[in-house]
Amino acid sequence: MQSHDEIRVRGARVNNLRGIDVAIPKRQLTVFTGVSGSGKSSLVFGTIAAESQRLINETYPAFVQSLMASPARPDVDALENLSAAIVVDQERMGANARSTVGTATDVNNLMRLLWSRLGTPEVGPSYHFSFNTPQGMCPGCEGTGRVSAIDESLIVDTDLSLSEGAITAPNFGVGTWYWKGYAEHPDLDPDLPLRDFSADQWRTFMYQEPTKIHVSGINMTYEGLIPRIRRMFLAPDKEPGQKHIKEFAERIATFRECPECGGTRLNEPARTAQIDGVTLPEALGWQITDLRAWAERLRDSATSVDVAPVIASLVDLLGSLAEVGLGYLSLDRESGTLSGGEAQRVKMVRHLGSALSDVTYVFDEPTVGLHPHDIDRMVDLLQRLRDKGNTVLVVEHKPQVIERADHIVDIGPGAGAQGGRVMFTGDVDGLRASGTITGDHLSTRHVRRTPLRTPTGALEIRGATTHNLRGVDVDIPLGVLTVITGVAGSGKSSLIHGSIADGSMSGAGTLRVVDQSPIRGSIRSNPATYTGLLDPIRAAFAKANKVKPALFSANSAGACPNCKGLGIVYTDLGQLAGVSRTCEVCEGRRFTDEVLRYTLHGLNISEVLQLPVADAAQVFHAGNPGRILSRLLSVGLGYLRLGQPLSTLSGGERQRVKLAIQLGEGPGSYVLDEPTTGLHMADIEAMLVMLDTLVDEGNTVIVIEHSLPVMAHADHIIDVGPGAGHDGGLVVFEGTPAELAAADTLTGRHLAAYLA
Ligand code: ADP
Ligand code: ADP
Ligand code: ZN
Ligand code: ZN
């Protein structure tokens, strides 16, 4: 092979990588395998993609660079033949109400263009159909579709006067600049209790539209308290930084659908114009597969030449959305409500139609959330990207994907310090014969041998109608392992999470829902703080050294003042992704030299926070710390360092940390959403052992999963389908794995093939 036909990595040492060398063929589909924590992401994202993006940044003029995040060069001796890398990951998309599936994929641009050309009565230039422009947005809700009502009793105390602190909202304290605007307003008496204000004064105080007034010798804009608070705390694009501000905003406001536009976000002319009797908001609310069929009919009947290319592009883009398995979504679905897997597939759509070639695309487990039935199509898409002349790098665990790779890089053998080496490179036949953990698992099938457990009762779901569910009645057996299956969008999450939320589920007892959602304040949290492990360790440090426990906490005088005990410093860049660097004062050790002199079992507090869970379990084996650490071990997180920020964990790792703190808390029901995310086949075996232990201790375990080994391991399976969106929403099968394998459903056929 010519050297320019491969990306060469030499001496990569990011995170746990052991100075590895690896060559990756260009314009091929390469899959990176290995147990969870072995170093796949460190190689693919942390080294190759990071360096490619850094090199691109370097090509910008210096003044542009100074405005951009400039991450440090990854720890690697040499990287040759890189091409521009595009990372398609599972980061959830922003919770900004303005971002929808339609805006994120640019389909809405085409929709607007279509309605502006063909809609009757005519409205004019296409941006009038956009809820993101002043000309198109509903004035009632500024294009968000929702309005907030403010609970007045939470922002003012009418028994007090302004001088006595009648405004109780944060930032309006007596003497503050904001307070002065009201207290010094010529029409308002600062010493009169608010309840004694005249109707006019009350209106001025609470509701006045912005006007110029003269206060403390300067001109300022005066605005009633309600509009001001709305703008300060509740503006649609506002992402309040401080915790107390955010909590305040959540407390005072209740959101409901905008009465003016009925939630459609558009103003009157834009929302009522029709094509063949269909308005734009109606079409945006349709399932994508239906919209595509409608657009195809329009294409075949349209007479005007100038709209033909618009319709053709629309049909194409909607086709791509259906191809990545998102045909059940609607364009008006808010991006923030998508799962990580769905978000990644939405991002993928942007690239399928791209004319770029010779790009390196990097995917993080693109099959997350996909049924075996959808996985083959996903691999087709990855191959299509490759066939356009791109290099496609994929971190994946599923045999269905590994088997279709052109090239495989297997990292291992273990996790953390036990991993970080290249175990195998080559094709799938080579991998099978390689004797690596991955190779061995490819050819073995998980077959459950134990007899099925007997249920101790049933948890009942009655009349479930969340989202697409069609009044589902189903029993979930108690005291056993139940797996909920079905294609993406069939209604699995709606059945479980929706029924918990709206009360159509009963009999679950203590219910523990363990999901993959981000953990609040996770930059400051780490496994040690989050699991409660750090408190007893701090106490032990204090006792051993006869000092106060607080000295060892990140918000104390003992912490490094520069990084506040984080060891890293974050630069917040507003719109751009922030960057972090090691704190230059403590060099990442988090605490002052004085604190670092105190030791426990021969380690200082910084060294303790550097320990991987598995090593820490050797040091702290007794009491509470021992119990917490053994739970972290049992969920397969032995490689995590105690002080690693939770913000650096993947969704799957986050879920396992959450699971660890809920284990052993007494009998109850556990709900897990795709717990095999990020897990290698070998890790799945360990996860199943842990789930078995949970059930054998008297718990009920309900798992939403697509993984065939997990299905094969279940006592009971509930299959939701038959299709996605409005083609799903029914329970199509309930019974044992063997019965499912014999049943002629989509899931049944895949399970049968797996068990054969
Ligand atoms: P994989 O992708 O194979 O699951 P990773 O590359 O994510 O593995 O992790 C390899 C090792 O590096 C693990 O021990 C992990 O805890 C550690 N690691 C990953 N990201 C970070 C980080 N941001 N800071 C510190 N350690 C990390
Ligand atoms: P699954 O868990 O099987 O992938 P879901 O329960 O997530 O399926 O989705 C079932 C249907 O409900 C789909 O049509 C989906 O688009 C819709 N849906 C799910 N979540 C939401 C939401 N937050 N808002 C609107 N529709 C939703
Ligand atoms: Zn509105
Ligand atoms: Zn520091």
Side-chain angles (χ1 to χ4, degrees):
M1 195 182 288
Q2 299 273 311
S3 72
H4 60 263
D5 271 339
E6 51 189 34
I7 297 172
R8 288 173 176 278
V9 181
R10 263 203 278 274
R13 281 174 302 271
V14 171
N15 293 327
N16 69 333
L17 299 178
R18 310 266 198 102
I20 58 176
D21 300 342
V22 61
I24 299 154
K26 287 189 138 182
R27 291 172 285 282
Q28 303 255 304
L29 171 59
T30 298
V31 173
F32 294 78
T33 58
V35 298
S36 182
S38 60
K40 302 178 294 296
S41 314
S42 300
L43 175 61
V44 180
F45 295 95
T47 308
I48 299 172
E51 179 63 357
S52 159
Q53 289 180 339
R54 194 187 68 86
L55 290 175
I56 291 173
N57 288 1
E58 276 192 356
T59 64
Y60 292 117
F63 79 95
V64 175
Q65 284 185 46
S66 70
L67 298 173
M68 307 199 321
S70 45
R73 187 175 188 281
D75 189 354
V76 56
D77 292 337
L79 271 168
E80 290 159 21
N81 293 322
L82 285 182
S83 47
I86 294 177
V87 173
V88 188
D89 63 14
Q90 296 182 31
E91 277 293 306
R92 307 271 172 124
M93 302 167 96
N96 184 337
R98 286 181 191 282
S99 169
T100 63
V101 169
T103 60
T105 52
D106 289 342
V107 182
N108 276 24
N109 289 336
L110 296 170
M111 296 288 283
R112 274 166 25 208
L113 214 54
L114 202 59
W115 260 260
S116 67
R117 299 270 172 84
L118 296 180
T120 49
E122 278 178 38
V123 178
S126 59
Y127 57 86
H128 282 188
F129 284 92
S130 167
F131 53 77
N132 281 328
T133 62
Q135 295 87 341
M137 67 171 55
C138 162
C141 59
E142 296 183 338
T144 61
R146 293 181 298 185
V147 289
S148 55
I150 292 182
D151 184 342
E152 291 179 5
S153 71
L154 293 173
I155 58 173
V156 290
D157 182 342
T158 52
D159 287 336
L160 302 179
S161 67
L162 286 168
S163 323
E164 290 167 332
I167 310 181
T168 54
N171 300 350
F172 285 86
V174 174
T176 60
W177 170 252
Y178 287 123
W179 171 84
K180 279 192 184 149
Y182 300 96
E184 298 185 13
H185 190 285
D187 299 342
L188 304 177
D189 179 349
D191 297 318
L192 197 65
L194 300 189
R195 66 177 132 74
D196 296 330
F197 274 17
S198 70
D200 271 355
Q201 284 173 324
W202 181 253
R203 216 173 5 256
T204 302
F205 173 55
M206 290 296 267
Y207 304 110
Q208 174 79 61
E209 294 286 310
T211 45
K212 294 268 183 248
I213 63 163
H214 204 66
V215 162
S216 297
I218 45 173
N219 285 317
M220 66 174 282
T221 302
Y222 175 86
E223 184 178 22
L225 189 61
I226 297 261
R228 166 145 291 173
I229 284 192
R230 252 182 219 293
R231 226 164 25 77
M232 283 175 61
F233 300 111
L234 304 174
D237 298 333
K238 201 110 199 154
E239 300 213 6
Q242 287 162 295
K243 193 161 162 250
H244 75 281
I245 301 272
K246 191 172 164 128
E247 282 169 2
F248 169 76
E250 278 168 7
R251 214 171 49 237
I252 59 166
T254 47
F255 285 91
R256 61 195 167 85
E257 195 174 274
C258 169
E260 187 165 337
C261 63
T264 64
R265 304 154 175 249
L266 294 168
N267 62 21
E268 167 86 28
R271 69 176 176 263
T272 51
Q274 300 179 342
I275 301 176
D276 288 348
V278 179
T279 65
L280 177 56
E282 275 165 5
L284 295 177
W286 287 348
Q287 193 162 310
I288 283 165
T289 43
D290 296 341
L291 181 59
R292 182 189 180 196
W294 179 86
E296 279 168 346
R297 284 198 302 276
L298 194 65
R299 178 189 59 193
D300 299 340
S301 68
T303 45
S304 150
V305 246
D306 56 334
V307 289
V310 178
I311 303 179
S313 309
L314 179 65
V315 169
D316 250 23
L317 254 178
L318 294 172
S320 299
L321 276 161
E323 264 183 297
V324 296
L326 295 175
Y328 57 90
L329 296 179
S330 56
L331 294 178
D332 65 5
R333 177 76 170 275
E334 284 181 18
S335 311
T337 66
L338 301 177
S339 70
E342 285 171 333
Q344 178 168 241
R345 297 201 292 283
V346 165
K347 294 178 205 170
M348 184 173 183
V349 168
R350 298 184 70 108
H351 301 295
L352 289 175
S354 164
L356 288 176
S357 80
D358 232 334
V359 166
T360 300
Y361 283 103
V362 189
F363 290 89
D364 182 14
E365 245 188 314
T367 65
V368 164
L370 289 183
H371 187 271
H373 174 69
D374 304 314
I375 292 178
D376 285 333
R377 277 194 312 177
M378 172 55 75
V379 183
D380 292 344
L381 293 179
L382 296 171
Q383 291 183 337
R384 223 170 70 190
L385 274 178
R386 173 201 64 190
D387 294 340
K388 280 166 59 178
N390 299 301
T391 303
V392 183
L393 311 183
V394 183
V395 173
E396 246 311 334
H397 301 280
K398 300 216 170 75
Q400 246 180 303
V401 181
I402 298 171
E403 282 164 359
R404 290 178 61 191
D406 300 316
H407 191 74
I408 295 149
V409 176
D410 192 31
I411 310 284
Q418 271 75 54
R421 296 180 194 280
V422 176
M423 303 307 291
F424 168 83
T425 58
D427 67 7
V428 68
D429 291 327
L431 179 64
R432 277 206 186 86
S434 65
T436 65
I437 298 172
T438 310
D440 289 349
H441 274 83
L442 266 187
S443 18
T444 56
R445 288 281 183 254
H446 174 93
V447 182
R448 182 160 178 218
R449 290 165 207 286
T450 51
L452 297 183
R453 303 177 180 93
T454 313
T456 56
L459 179 166
E460 297 182 348
I461 294 176
R462 292 293 175 267
T465 52
T466 303
H467 300 138
N468 66 336
L469 298 177
R470 304 191 230 167
V472 171
D473 296 338
V474 68
D475 285 354
I476 300 179
L478 291 174
V480 305
L481 174 63
T482 295
V483 173
I484 316 283
T485 59
V487 294
S490 61
K492 302 178 296 295
S493 328
S494 302
L495 180 64
I496 302 301
H497 299 294
S499 303
I500 293 169
D502 72 6
S504 33
M505 180 190 282
S506 63
T510 307
L511 192 58
R512 304 191 179 102
V513 178
V514 189
D515 62 18
Q516 302 188 13
S517 61
I519 297 167
R520 269 196 180 202
S522 52
I523 286 179
R524 296 221 133 252
S525 324
N526 54 50
T529 58
Y530 188 70
T531 59
L533 180 65
L534 201 55
D535 292 325
I537 290 183
R538 273 202 293 256
F541 259 100
K543 196 159 171 234
N545 294 285
K546 302 194 172 51
V547 290
K548 288 205 166 69
L551 212 52
F552 303 95
S553 92
N555 46 21
S556 75
C560 165
N562 188 47
C563 63
K564 313 264 176 337
L566 282 178
I568 32 184
V569 180
Y570 287 89
T571 314
D572 185 6
L573 292 155
Q575 293 296 324
L576 301 167
V579 281
S580 62
R581 61 194 151 78
T582 303
C583 171
E584 59 274 22
V585 174
C586 63
E587 291 170 333
R589 288 194 297 261
R590 301 163 185 252
F591 291 88
T592 61
D593 287 346
E594 188 214 334
V595 172
L596 293 176
R597 277 200 296 275
Y598 301 122
T599 59
L600 182 68
H601 305 302
L603 301 168
N604 67 31
I605 183 74
S606 173
E607 288 162 341
V608 167
L609 289 169
Q610 278 296 321
L611 289 177
V613 167
D615 297 1
Q618 304 287 321
V619 181
F620 304 97
H621 42 77
N624 229 356
R627 263 193 301 280
I628 295 170
L629 288 164
S630 72
R631 288 179 202 166
L632 285 166
L633 275 176
S634 73
V635 295
L637 290 176
Y639 61 91
L640 267 197
R641 293 185 192 279
L642 298 188
Q644 185 173 330
L646 292 186
S647 57
T648 65
L649 302 194
S650 67
E653 287 172 329
R654 263 193 313 256
Q655 184 181 39
R656 282 178 277 144
V657 171
K658 291 182 192 179
L659 179 60
I661 56 175
Q662 305 226 23
L663 287 176
E665 297 282 305
S669 306
Y670 289 82
V671 171
L672 302 168
D673 216 334
E674 227 180 333
T676 64
T677 304
L679 293 185
H680 184 269
M681 295 162 278
D683 303 318
I684 293 178
E685 296 292 326
M687 162 77 67
L688 287 172
V689 169
M690 192 210 61
L691 296 182
D692 277 341
T693 311
L694 261 185
V695 177
D696 293 339
E697 284 170 355
N699 297 289
T700 299
V701 179
I702 303 164
V703 184
I704 300 174
E705 257 300 347
H706 300 280
S707 152
L708 290 161
V710 178
M711 285 187 214
H713 198 81
D715 295 301
H716 189 74
I717 297 184
I718 295 173
D719 195 27
V720 182
H726 61 56
D727 302 321
L730 298 172
V731 167
V732 292
F733 169 88
E734 313 169 58
T736 65
E739 286 164 355
L740 178 59
D744 191 27
T745 69
L746 211 50
T747 313
R749 287 198 289 274
H750 282 276
L751 185 61
Y754 173 78
L755 291 173

